[in-house]
Amino acid sequence: MPYSVVFAPDSFKGSASAASVAAALAEGWSSVRPGDRVLLAPMADGGEGTLDAFELAVPGSVRRPIRVTGPVGVEVDASWLLLPDGTALVELAETSGLGLLTAFEPLDATTAGFGQAIAEALAAGATRLLLAIGGSSSTDGGAGALVALGARLLDAEGRPICAGGRGLADLVTADLTGLPPLPPRGVRILSDVTNPLLGSLGAAAVFGPQKGADAGQVAVLEAALTRFAAVLGRPSDAVGSGAAGGTGYGLLAWGAVLAPGAEAVGDALGLPRLVTSADAVVTGEGRFDSQSAAGKVPDYVSGLARAAGLPAYLAAGSIEAPTDSFAAAASLSALAGGSAAAIADATRWARVAGAELAATVV
């Protein structure tokens, strides 16, 4: 019997957008099951591509271009999104993301541009902020963003500390009185990360190496973030405070609240409604690993399918964790004969994966 199938993958970072992956998976599926009805719902979880997903999902959204200070001090062109209800969506990856670097700068990269974009959205009259903070290049605790918004972070001589995580080691005084008031409908942090700021599961230890930090630099960043938390006096064990190199911590200090990124995007897309009217769901991401079960797109989408009594299928660039919650799973790396080949032509192998998954349907 013909199926109605929803394709709701995240982007495959560094190789393909969520929209192109969804289309390729659906094309491969249809090559095996041409009678099935396919519905494309490209997803995001607060990281790169969240702005694109909202722009696609919410009619009347307006992208506002902006020029900001990039993660290493060089100006970059970015944008934020104004939704029809007065909500502004600002994506950290657009302004301060890892993809904007030509080389890792684990000690000196900053979130200043992210704060500048937030300030611009507030000046434009945004009544609510959605802050997508995945894809960060820095481990500065959100200090750069706070300074851009009006905070004063000073050393023992009363001078502004240097930008980046390294500068936090010199912090003595934090004056947050210059921060703007929250907009009337509040500020929500969209993130798939629940890690605390400090410790073995914290921002420096877990995410520092992903941003180029070696063991010595991780120790420097951990000490700097510890100093930051001591001066600000806010709980460092708050859920999500370690997100985006500790940017979650800085935003929580401003008064923002944490919200699951995938759920927020899914609600905007109307994904729960799409799933309940479908017969199967296909989701995916670049790397399915032990962190995927902590609110990333495949976990969220498979949860919707489970609640609706539907089978969920997984396609991922690589699979490094059990896939027991899925009816079937396909690894692009395995199909391509290696990760390099899969990354080089992700949409081709996504089509193959879509066909492989469709062939498992009984």
Side-chain angles (χ1 to χ4, degrees), residues 104-358:
F104 290 128
E105 294 287 350
L107 298 179
D108 299 313
T110 173
T111 53
F114 184 49
Q116 292 167 0
I118 294 170
E120 179 77 12
L122 290 173
T127 58
R128 181 175 69 144
L129 291 174
L130 298 178
L131 305 180
I133 64 172
S136 168
S137 63
S138 68
T139 309
D140 74 346
L146 292 179
V147 169
L149 286 167
R152 298 176 71 236
L153 303 180
L154 309 174
D155 64 15
E157 304 299 323
R159 299 170 302 194
I161 62 172
C162 295
R166 188 201 310 263
L168 296 175
D170 298 323
L171 182 65
V172 172
T173 303
D175 179 5
L176 305 186
T177 59
L179 292 175
L182 300 179
R185 295 163 54 218
V187 179
R188 297 179 71 193
I189 306 166
L190 306 185
S191 175
D192 64 348
V193 171
T194 58
N195 301 60
L197 180 67
L198 304 174
S200 61
L201 298 178
V206 175
F207 305 114
Q210 298 175 11
K211 301 166 188 179
D214 59 28
Q217 291 169 326
V218 166
V220 169
L221 292 168
E222 179 73 9
L225 290 173
T226 300
R227 179 73 175 174
F228 190 41
V231 174
L232 260 63
R234 309 287 175 131
S236 62
D237 59 352
V239 172
S241 58
T247 300
Y249 181 81
L251 294 174
L252 290 170
W254 181 31
V257 297
L258 191 71
E263 183 178 339
V265 177
D267 286 345
L269 284 168
L271 190 60
R273 175 184 52 79
L274 285 178
V275 169
T276 56
S277 64
D279 298 297
V281 178
V282 180
T283 186
E285 64 180 343
R287 183 172 67 182
F288 184 81
D289 57 20
S290 59
Q291 295 186 37
S292 297
K296 289 183 178 288
V297 166
D299 179 57
Y300 166 71
V301 174
S302 65
L304 291 179
R306 192 161 51 249
L310 308 179
Y313 298 84
L314 173 72
S318 63
I319 297 177
E320 302 169 14
T323 58
D324 301 342
S325 60
F326 297 94
S331 162
L332 274 63
S333 294
L335 293 169
S339 59
I343 292 170
D345 198 350
T347 53
R348 173 194 172 189
W349 293 107
R351 283 191 291 273
V352 175
E356 288 277 322
L357 294 173

Side-chain angles (χ1 to χ4, degrees), residues 26-36 351-352 354-360:
E27 184 179 338
W29 183 285
S30 296
S31 70
V32 174
R33 295 179 58 87
D36 287 353
R351 283 191 291 273
V352 175
E356 288 277 322
L357 294 173
T360 69

